[in-house]
Amino acid sequence: MSTAPVRVRFAPSPTGALHVGGVRTALFNYLFARHHGGEFLLRIEDTDQKRYVPKAEEYIMEALAWCGISPDYSPKTGGPDAPYRQSERKPMYRQYAEQLVASGHAYYAFDTEEELETMRENAEKAGMKNWQYNAITRQNMRNSLTLPADEVQRLLDGGANYVVRMKIPRNEEIRFEDAIRGWVLFQTNQLDDKVLMKQDGMPTYHLANVVDDHLMHITHVIRGEEWLPSAPLHVYMYQCFGWTAPVFAHLPLLLSPDGKGKLSKRDGDKHGFPIFPLDWHNPETGETAKGYREAGYLPDAFINFLALLGWNPGNDQEILTREEMVKLFTLERVGKSGVKFDKAKSVWFNATYLRALTPAELLPHLKAQLAAAGVAHTRDDAFLLSVVPLIQERAEYLTDLAPQAAPYLVAPQTFDPELVAKRWNPQGAEFIAGLLPQLQSFEPWEEAPLEAFVKETVEAAGLGLGKVMPALRLALTNRMQGAELFRIFELLGREETLARLEAALARL
RNA sequence: GGCGCGUUCGUCUAGCCAGGUCCAGGACACCUCUCUUUCACAGAGGCGACACGGGUUCGAAUCCCGUACGCGCUACCA
């Protein structure tokens, strides 16, 4: 391991919205960089022009910004090793591919995609499960290893289509020490001659990622476990280039909550949780997929939840500030096994963070939610501020705020027949009617005295509280859940309270 | 199929590298109770796991071997 300053990268492909798994990979890279006082950069791997989705890159940056894990360098900010978009680095890759050809580690292959397809099909008919372009089969293909030198030159000069392939040797071992998994051993016989440079002149992921990681002085490659099988190829490439390889760390996969398999969009739909950080408007299908932001999650809660998916701080603490995460994050404490996504726990984190906010911090959220929900009211900020504590402990998502606050802001326009049938009753109504004049002059208009007074009066009337309390709640808010009844009295004030009670008596 | 990686409560995990203090600790979820004639919060309690089989050892969740199961990869995609 070198002593160079830590530098890591998050290298997504702009083929669509960033998935939660990608956010977690970015988060772990970010935490690792910050922990070591290093740098974290974003590199856009858009070498596949066929899968390129226009808005994806913008989405990725906005999502990282919302999560508070913006990179030090990105295509947007630039930086010492710009550009950070591989399509813009296209001219740089060819020389490295040529270098490997020159050193005998790679070669030109002229086989067409159709020819390769035919080979695979024939092999399968012959009972071979997976045909690979490798040390054995390449001898029967059209490449610079089998064709005469002059013909190769002729093809090249004639502008023939070709790819550059890695020449994987036979009977060798490749091993490397993964920072999370320890020593991992592969046999080169299992590897195939991966394409490094595509026909269109673009590098494949393998070439681009190795070249860029080297050029950008990446010290640690922290990525998903799905990359583990291609890690030996990358390690071998570093060897062929004569470069020092970065430390590799392959993160456990995020799994579907039920069955198995990688977490997918489908799982989110099925279990009712977002799979993307922000709403994603798919430009191809026109569909919109829900995001955590729009679903009412607080970014800090979301991040805290994600951080604990595959990592733990080594103690029993689960609520961690950004600073604590940075301070405690190490790859040693990252687990090896796949992690099932747990919606219930994500909700718990959000509700816990929501409750921890001060009323003043929550006020802007409440106002935004009321506006978004179209709740028309005439109350001022001071009143809204006094509503916050009543709804804060009952909300799980920010989107719960408006529906829960509404009954305190707007008098019931109608009453739910089911609630009326269950909670409204003649004795209660009669009692409430008789109570009104007394409340007219009751002092002080505060929760505790009001509660004591009303309860005493109910008992004096020989009625059960059950006849009166639910009826009062119904009359006031048309809800059977919510803040303490007399807290609502105090909040609404004498005038509004009496007005609502009279209106209810008149209509029920 | 081949190769790789993995396997502690339903879920996330601590413990494993440096075997005994673990009849396995915490959190979420679930259940019960308290508070409250609402809902929620909060508090108290409960349920609940070392995949299986061998071996090493006085002693194994921890070390070794095997089996099973799961996942990943197996493109001129990343």
Side-chain angles (χ1 to χ4, degrees), chain A residues 442-480:
Chain A
F442 183 82
E443 290 292 348
W445 192 266
E446 287 166 11
E447 180 179 3
L450 280 165
E451 177 169 5
F453 169 68
V454 173
K455 283 183 175 176
E456 277 168 25
T457 312
V458 171
E459 279 167 32
L463 271 177
L465 285 174
K467 291 284 185 195
V468 178
M469 302 280 280
L472 277 171
R473 179 176 294 280
L474 173 65
L476 245 27
T477 63
N478 185 34
R479 297 288 165 91
M480 284 319 298

Side-chain angles (χ1 to χ4, degrees), chain A residues 263-335:
Chain A
L263 187 63
S264 70
K265 170 75 173 57
R266 199 96 207 91
D267 295 312
D269 295 340
K270 184 176 172 187
H271 298 279
F273 60 83
I275 211 71
F276 301 123
L278 319 175
D279 271 6
W280 168 244
H281 311 290
N282 190 326
E284 281 155 352
T285 64
E287 289 171 351
T288 294
K290 199 75 173 167
Y292 278 85
R293 181 177 65 185
E294 291 77 6
Y297 278 80
L298 261 2
D300 285 346
F302 176 58
I303 285 302
N304 195 156
F305 166 67
L306 281 188
L308 262 23
L309 252 29
W311 172 78
N312 75 82
N315 55 39
D316 287 339
Q317 197 182 348
E318 304 225 51
I319 300 294
L320 297 147
T321 64
R322 195 66 59 107
E323 293 67 35
E324 288 170 327
M325 285 185 233
V326 166
K327 187 179 175 197
L328 297 168
F329 187 85
T330 62
L331 292 175
E332 285 167 18
R333 299 218 63 90
V334 174

